[in-house]
Amino acid sequence: MIIAIDGPAAAGKGTLAKRLAAHFGLAVLDTGLLYRAVGLKTVRRGADPNDADAAGAVARELGAGDLEDADLRGDEAANAASVVAAIPEVRAAVLEFQRAFARDPPGNAQGAVLDGRDIGTVVCPQADVKFFVTAPVEVRAGRRLKELRERGLEAIHSRVLQDMKARDARDAGRDVAPLVPAEDACVLDTSEMDAERVFAAALAIIKSRTR
Ligand code: DC
């Protein structure tokens, strides 16, 4: 079974992906981490994340070890990720990694849950079930602010909101694999739902679609 989960930042994709994977015994891949790893490594090499040659080379060399860096969760990685994600060479290299994961999930799992921006549209168009998890940008920025503060980081609401709007615009406005719901995706607006309700709603949809 392949489950595709797409949507903008801080909409609740990752939490849903992990819960569904645990429930069904599937492998889980946070595909944003791949772009974050490429972005961060490119910047650390002293290159501009807009530089297609530099970022493309990093993407082609990407290994599982690159996904372990704790800094991948930070804002520097997030912003660099959204820049390198618009480069076709980067997307082509990352596409291979993701498809290999879906085809042959680790740990002998009987399938996989992938979350990202283009899973249902490009990476796994044949997925058994597709979700588009979303919420208004103000709600998502509020969640991100809370999360940052809980991690003991200083954060200002206006800055978080501004960054998130810029990232949304880059992710939805790029030419290659922009952020859009697949035609056959179930849209879950999580503004008024906690993680438990999102999970329950997703489970009900999966049961009805895979019967
Ligand atoms: O989900 P995230 O915040 O970790 O993603 C970081 C960036 O990576 C995001 O701004 C867009 C990009 N991305 C993408 O283009 N395609 C994906 N499948 C996943 C992430």
Side-chain angles (χ1 to χ4, degrees), residues 97-193:
F97 191 108
Q98 297 168 97
R99 287 212 173 131
F101 187 98
R103 207 167 38 234
D104 188 13
N108 278 330
Q110 295 303 300
V113 186
L114 287 86
D115 82 87
R117 302 291 188 289
D118 62 339
I119 308 302
T121 50
V122 176
V123 181
C124 300
Q126 310 302 334
D128 298 279
V129 188
K130 300 177 186 178
F131 293 105
F132 192 83
V133 181
T134 190
V137 69
E138 288 77 12
V139 173
R140 293 185 284 114
R143 285 180 188 159
R144 177 54 50 84
L145 188 72
K146 187 165 168 265
E147 183 194 317
L148 290 170
R149 289 186 176 158
E150 279 169 3
R151 277 163 47 196
L153 300 168
E154 269 186 47
I156 306 165
H157 182 265
S158 58
R159 180 68 201 277
V160 172
L161 182 62
Q162 190 189 0
D163 274 3
M164 200 160 275
K165 282 184 176 167
R167 213 139 74 81
D168 280 1
R170 272 201 300 268
D171 294 346
R174 66 180 176 231
D175 293 335
V176 268
L179 172 67
V180 278
E183 268 181 27
D184 50 349
C186 305
V187 178
L188 290 175
D189 184 324
T190 64
S191 326
E192 306 285 331
M193 291 161 108

Side-chain angles (χ1 to χ4, degrees), residues 13 31-32 35-36 81-82 85 91 116-118 167 171 174:
K13 305 183 299 289
T31 65
Y35 292 95
R36 286 170 180 258
S82 140
R91 299 206 74 86
R117 302 291 188 289
D118 62 339
R167 213 139 74 81
D171 294 346
R174 66 180 176 231

Side-chain angles (χ1 to χ4, degrees), residues 52-78:
D53 290 339
V58 171
R60 285 187 291 276
E61 290 162 14
L62 200 67
D66 292 319
L67 307 181
E68 306 296 329
D69 193 322
D71 291 343
L72 292 180
R73 300 279 169 203
D75 282 347
E76 188 190 13

